[in-house]
Amino acid sequence: MTALKKTSGSHPDGKEEECRTVILAPNPAIFIQSMRYIGYTIKTALADIIDNSITAEAGYISVRFRWNNGNPWLAILDDGCGMSEDKLQEAMRFGGDLSPSDKRDADDLGRFGLGLKTASLSQCRRLTVVSKQGGVTSALRWDVDALVKNVSEWSAQIPNIVTLREDPEIVPLLDCLNVRVQGTLVLWQSIDGIVSDGNRVSEKHFSQTLEAAAKHVGEVFHRFIEPDRECSCPTVAIDFNGRRLETISPFGNPETLARQELATEEITVWNEKIIVSPFILPHYCKTSPAEYHQY
């Protein structure tokens, strides 16, 4: 339903005139399904969720996934600061509580208040977030299929933790969260973002895609996984199904790569000091084909 309002305004000749306004609230189901196709891949979607975990001061992030007989699921579990029920609801709101122009903490990797939702829903049709803070566990879910059935409301679901435990696939994840003082679990179900030749993804393709995603995460977050002496980044351990990620530095391994490291430079941008460390990667004839292809 469209709502019309009347507001009064000043006319140049001094007379009062009425101005009508119309409320054009977006259709929830159509809006969310449109947001699912803004260009995420599974590896960039995972990186967005891991950004949130690092901002939440997590020291441990675990990416779990299963083929689950053709109904694959994926979860990101961290030991960050967690969220209260109110904070969780705000985190699951499209747009969040800060605008892109608001001042944020220096270590906040977010900007638009959309990453958790759009990144997750680009890969799945059901997003469940369970968070623990102060001994209290809260859960919230966006279900695209449920929104399609109820197109007039932005209705997120509040699943009961007891009900969640009826799913045997989720129980081990909830147990991992339960033994922690605090933390957050992001669960993707009804995954349809990974396709193979336009068809339903195969188990082999699913495994290969997650392997490529692990390498991407190891590269993007290499300075968090293994901070160097000049980096003030916190150290974060990240694993994929229990396998600890190895870092992939885009500048190469100095012990195996014939690279040249140049003198650091200091520049200032918007009154912030930035240290630039230049490297020259070696000619292909001075390294192995595998290393050259990787770097």
Side-chain angles (χ1 to χ4, degrees):
M1 179 178 291
T2 301
L4 295 177
K5 293 183 178 181
K6 291 185 178 181
T7 59
S8 59
S10 298
H11 194 272
D13 61 8
K15 296 180 180 179
E16 292 292 317
E17 66 174 8
E18 291 185 337
C19 175
R20 297 192 307 162
T21 63
V22 57
I23 298 175
L24 298 176
N27 179 300
I30 294 176
F31 178 80
I32 284 187
Q33 294 199 79
S34 298
M35 293 291 288
R36 301 187 70 217
Y37 299 98
I38 62 173
Y40 276 101
T41 62
I42 191 167
K43 61 185 182 182
T44 56
L46 274 173
D48 238 359
I49 306 303
I50 292 173
D51 275 350
N52 292 340
S53 295
I54 292 175
T55 298
E57 301 179 349
Y60 168 74
I61 303 169
S62 181
V63 179
R64 315 280 181 88
F65 50 92
R66 293 287 184 275
W67 173 243
N68 195 30
N69 295 320
N71 295 298
W73 58 262
L74 184 147
I76 303 96
L77 178 69
D78 70 48
D79 62 353
C81 61
M83 292 175 280
S84 65
E85 183 177 17
D86 289 344
K87 285 292 185 182
L88 175 57
Q89 291 183 10
E90 197 58 44
M92 291 285 271
R93 184 195 307 274
F94 281 84
D97 57 355
L98 290 176
S99 79
S101 60
D102 287 335
K103 185 174 179 59
R104 295 171 181 252
D105 295 337
D107 57 356
D108 188 345
L109 303 179
R111 178 54 53 188
F112 300 104
L114 293 170
L116 169 62
K117 287 78 65 179
T118 53
S120 298
L121 293 173
S122 72
Q123 303 303 311
C124 70
R125 300 184 68 83
R126 174 182 283 189
L127 163 65
T128 305
V129 179
V130 184
S131 197
K132 182 179 181 181
Q133 185 182 75
V136 178
T137 301
S138 307
L140 206 59
R141 170 185 290 155
W142 279 117
D143 190 319
V144 175
D145 295 322
L147 282 173
V148 170
K149 295 177 181 178
N150 185 15
V151 298
S152 63
E153 296 181 358
W154 286 91
S155 300
Q157 300 173 351
I158 305 177
N160 187 289
I161 301 299
V162 175
T163 304
L164 285 176
R165 284 190 167 275
E166 294 177 358
D167 187 338
E169 296 290 347
I170 300 179
V171 171
L173 301 171
L174 293 175
D175 288 342
C176 288
L177 182 63
N178 189 52
V179 297
R180 289 177 168 77
V181 176
Q182 57 191 18
T184 297
L185 166 66
V186 177
L187 176 63
W188 299 350
Q189 294 174 295
S190 299
I191 292 176
D192 62 354
I194 309 173
V195 296
S196 179
D197 298 326
N199 300 316
R200 184 65 180 173
V201 63
S202 66
E203 183 174 5
K204 179 179 179 181
H205 181 68
F206 179 72
S207 300
Q208 291 174 337
T209 301
L210 268 300
E211 182 65 28
K215 292 180 179 178
H216 177 78
V217 170
E219 179 178 353
V220 170
F221 297 100
H222 74 97
R223 299 195 73 181
F224 291 91
I225 299 172
E226 289 185 5
D228 56 38
R229 289 174 298 178
E230 298 179 358
C231 178
S232 59
C233 302
T235 301
V236 180
I238 304 176
D239 74 62
F240 270 58
N241 272 355
R243 177 171 60 88
R244 185 80 171 261
L245 279 194
E246 296 180 0
T247 59
I248 303 175
S249 170
F251 313 116
N253 186 337
E255 297 178 359
T256 62
L257 209 61
R259 73 180 190 190
Q260 298 179 50
E261 184 172 350
L262 307 181
T264 59
E265 301 177 26
E266 182 179 314
I267 62 175
T268 301
V269 178
W270 296 332
N271 296 320
E272 295 288 345
K273 183 175 69 173
I274 298 176
I275 304 297
V276 180
S277 302
F279 298 91
I280 299 177
L281 296 184
H283 189 267
Y284 70 86
C285 68
K286 294 186 177 180
T287 185
S288 69
E291 285 181 323
Y292 185 79
H293 176 73
Q294 178 176 343
Y295 295 115

